[in-house]
DNA sequence: TGCCTTAAGTTCAATATTGAACCATCTATC
DNA sequence: GATAGATGGTTCAATATTGAACTTAAGGCA
């Protein structure tokens, strides 16, 4: 066996991610980057009030990277960083109205941009969604147990 | 409608890509990065002899980025950069035996590492593969036509 | 209380990626 | 042939990401 189908799948995923990322970033008029949008989207969908460290873990990203991304979002007025009343070390990432609006606009842009592709592909993406969700969950579970190189 | 299923799919893809990338890079004993592996894999699968600019286009990456990645691969002895006899400006990226061996080892590592996940998921990934290939192709076709922000 | 370990967040140095600018060479058209 | 425009590849400055180290504060336990 040369390639497992899982390897082939990850291959496709890597290419698609790269295509989608550059497409998204080139399309934003204000230079909103994909990590920034991803954080906004996360806050809208899962709620705000969590701290940077928790977000960093959720996105599998270093704490300094999250600090940086949050600074950019705060500069743009899309989030507030409130002190955590329960923990003097901690901060709470709060979505602002502008942040919610910017996220919604980005989602609209994505849907508009993808509309031709979506009609061309039909229901195939919806059919593939459960498999990918299962894969994502499995990889997420397996985070700690990696094969030694 | 808030999220199209295509948007949801890209969401999953982004998370999976991030998980798979860090998992791969943490697992390599010699610090081989994912872009370096991806280029090696490309050379094995599609053949060598192409130039850096062509590779940069294939990976949707800037020419300087490809120059950098190829420099790393050449330092490691995994590729050679020969002059293009047909074009004095050009170079030809040639895979070495060490490069092929390193790629094969990485593929083996991936398959080993993914084996538990693969058995857990069963045939679902294979079933999702055609849909992703179609999506990849559609995005690739649509590269030039982006929605204005 | 006092001490030790752990977690939150930032700073810092090193590396990666990008867009713009640049030189050398090829190609098309006159 | 000559010249204008396009292409291959690199250098450079700016920004992003990372791991290590550091500061501050919680939490556990004697």
């Amino acid at each position: 066996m040369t390639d497992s189908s899982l390897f082939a799948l990850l291959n496709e995923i890597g290419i698609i991610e790269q295509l989608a990322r550059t497409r998204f970033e080139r399309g934003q008029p204000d230079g909103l980057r994909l990590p920034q949008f991803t954080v906004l989207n996360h806050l809208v969908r899962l709620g705000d009030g969590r701290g940077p460290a928790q977000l960093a873990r959720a996105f599998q990203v270093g704490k300094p990277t999250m600090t940086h991304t949050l600074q950019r979002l705060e500069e743009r007025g899309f989030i507030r960083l409130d002190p955590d009343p329960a923990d003097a070390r901690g901060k709470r990432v709060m979505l602002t109205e502008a942040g919610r609006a910017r996220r919604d606009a980005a989602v609209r842009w994505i849907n508009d941009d993808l509309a031709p592709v979506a009609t061309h592909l039909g229901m195939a993406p919806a059919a593939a969604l459960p498999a990918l969700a299962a894969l994502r969950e499995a990889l997420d579970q397996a985070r700690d147990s990696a094969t030694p190189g």
Side-chain angles (χ1 to χ4, degrees), chain A:
Chain A
M1 163 188 47
T2 62
D3 298 359
S4 73
S5 65
L6 193 45
F7 175 59
L9 194 70
L10 288 172
N11 228 18
E12 296 289 355
I13 284 177
I15 297 169
I16 292 170
E17 200 276 340
Q18 174 71 8
L19 288 167
R21 167 188 297 265
T22 63
R23 191 175 181 87
F24 175 83
E25 296 193 343
R26 297 228 167 111
Q28 302 314 306
D30 59 352
L32 189 78
R33 305 255 170 221
L34 189 57
Q36 296 173 25
F37 165 72
T38 310
V39 169
L40 287 182
N41 195 43
H42 182 91
L43 294 175
V44 167
R45 293 169 56 144
L46 278 66
D48 55 4
R50 273 171 282 272
Q54 221 173 123
L55 290 174
R57 276 195 300 274
F59 289 112
Q60 187 78 341
V61 95
K63 286 191 294 179
T65 306
M66 187 52 64
T67 296
H68 186 254
T69 301
L70 293 176
Q71 280 172 349
R72 294 310 157 89
L73 287 172
E74 192 182 28
E75 288 166 10
R76 291 168 182 269
F78 294 157
I79 61 166
R80 277 195 333 270
L81 290 170
D82 293 353
D84 184 346
D87 186 338
R89 300 167 303 178
K91 294 184 173 178
R92 290 158 48 94
V93 181
M94 307 304 291
L95 188 65
T96 66
E97 271 316 303
R100 181 178 298 271
R102 185 64 187 85
R103 178 266 178 185
D104 290 345
V107 171
R108 275 195 303 277
W109 182 89
I110 293 172
N111 284 331
D112 286 356
D113 184 59
L114 258 41
V117 176
T119 58
H120 176 259
L121 293 175
M123 297 307 293
L129 194 48
L132 285 210
L135 172 57
R136 188 246 310 147
E137 209 154 319
L139 285 177
D140 202 40
Q141 293 289 336
R143 265 199 218 182
D144 36 0
S145 71
T147 300

